[in-house]
Amino acid sequence: QVQLVESGGGVVQPGGSLRLSCAASGFTLSNHGMNWVRQAPGKGLEWVTYLRSDGSDQHYTDSVKGRFTISRDNSQNTLYLQMNSLRPEDTAVYYCARDWGFAFWGQGTLVTVSS
Amino acid sequence: DVVMTQSPLSLPVTLGQPASISCRSSQSLVHSDGNTYLNWFQQRPGQSPRRLIYKVSNRDSGVPDRFSGSGSGTDFTLKISRVEAEDVGVYYCMQGTYWLTFGQGTRLEIK
């Protein structure tokens, strides 16, 4: 069955970097568009970025443009989110989710940006 | 950007009673392909979001039939015919017609 497992979260200082991973199983990652969605503590859901299935197109919410990069490794069937120049307001649980329909979500990984 | 406005934000309901959540968009969600990309999600405490309804009114596999979605254009509704204890959580609408935005969430609790 479809499974998404995020990892890579942790505590990082403002201005630091972190790379999140989303390991996919039960399907071929390169056949599907993929998203990252985040949720700040006690807050609602915020879409962060999308990668088209053929890898030709990426889109980002304005607050992360120029700082975050979505990518994938087809050989590892894994999606990534490279996060640079992190800010306290980036503190959140980060979820990966499949397709524009968002039928499948991972369990999330917590990123805390704090000095 | 399309703004999604949910109401109410807090919804206390007696077990066995119906519940209704409204979601309004700042512009019509009818896509040029004719579809309306409006989904509903449930997030139980401590869990990831789970999709309940896609494209306004299509219930996902395994979702109890007490959940239903309706609406068109800019006005959408999620209804629970008889609330059960396992329905406690936060419900979000989401539009995928113009990139992607979520509503603020509606917290359902048992009265």
Side-chain angles (χ1 to χ4, degrees):
Chain A
Q1 75 278 22
V2 172
Q3 195 170 7
L4 298 167
V5 179
E6 301 94 337
S7 61
V11 180
V12 61
Q13 292 191 337
S17 297
L18 213 53
R19 188 178 81 157
L20 306 183
S21 300
C22 169
S25 58
F27 70 100
T28 301
L29 196 64
S30 58
N31 291 339
H32 294 267
M34 294 294 296
N35 301 272
W36 286 96
V37 175
R38 67 184 178 183
Q39 186 170 35
K43 301 296 184 183
L45 300 170
E46 179 187 24
W47 171 76
V48 175
T49 179
Y50 169 76
L51 177 63
R52 196 182 295 274
S53 58
D54 62 7
S56 64
D57 212 8
Q58 306 158 23
H59 293 270
Y60 300 88
T61 192
D62 286 348
S63 62
V64 308
K65 281 179 185 173
R67 301 188 300 123
F68 289 12
T69 303
I70 188 172
S71 64
R72 67 170 183 242
D73 182 335
N74 292 338
S75 66
Q76 299 292 319
N77 218 38
T78 299
L79 179 75
Y80 299 103
L81 182 65
Q82 177 67 44
M83 304 187 296
N84 299 331
S85 302
L86 281 162
R87 305 166 180 168
E89 56 265 35
D90 295 318
T91 294
V93 173
Y94 285 74
Y95 298 98
C96 58
R98 200 186 84 170
D99 298 315
W100 206 238
F102 292 81
F104 300 99
W105 296 64
Q107 85 291 346
T109 186
L110 176 62
V111 172
T112 302
V113 184
S114 173
S115 53
Chain B
D1 290 3
V2 176
V3 177
M4 304 298 288
T5 303
Q6 290 183 227
S7 62
L9 299 184
S10 179
L11 184 56
V13 184
T14 301
L15 285 173
Q17 293 302 301
S20 180
I21 300 171
S22 170
C23 177
R24 290 197 166 99
S25 58
S26 58
Q27 59 191 87
S28 172
L29 297 185
V30 180
H31 194 274
S32 56
D33 65 7
N35 289 306
T36 300
Y37 294 100
L38 187 285
N39 297 348
W40 288 96
F41 297 86
Q42 174 195 61
Q43 188 174 31
R44 290 172 172 153
Q47 294 188 13
S48 302
R50 167 199 182 195
R51 195 178 73 178
L52 300 175
I53 302 285
Y54 62 97
K55 286 194 280 186
V56 182
S57 59
N58 297 277
R59 200 167 40 244
D60 271 281
S61 173
V63 174
D65 61 8
R66 63 178 182 276
F67 290 92
S68 64
S70 64
S72 63
T74 61
D75 219 330
F76 304 93
T77 303
L78 175 71
K79 291 184 178 173
I80 309 173
S81 59
R82 295 172 308 279
V83 169
E84 298 188 5
E86 66 178 18
D87 300 336
V88 166
V90 181
Y91 292 80
Y92 296 92
C93 62
M94 181 211 85
Q95 70 81 19
T97 298
Y98 303 100
W99 287 112
L100 202 133
T101 37
F102 290 94
Q104 319 97 299
T106 294
R107 185 173 301 276
L108 186 149
E109 63 181 39
I110 304 301
K111 203 186 290 183

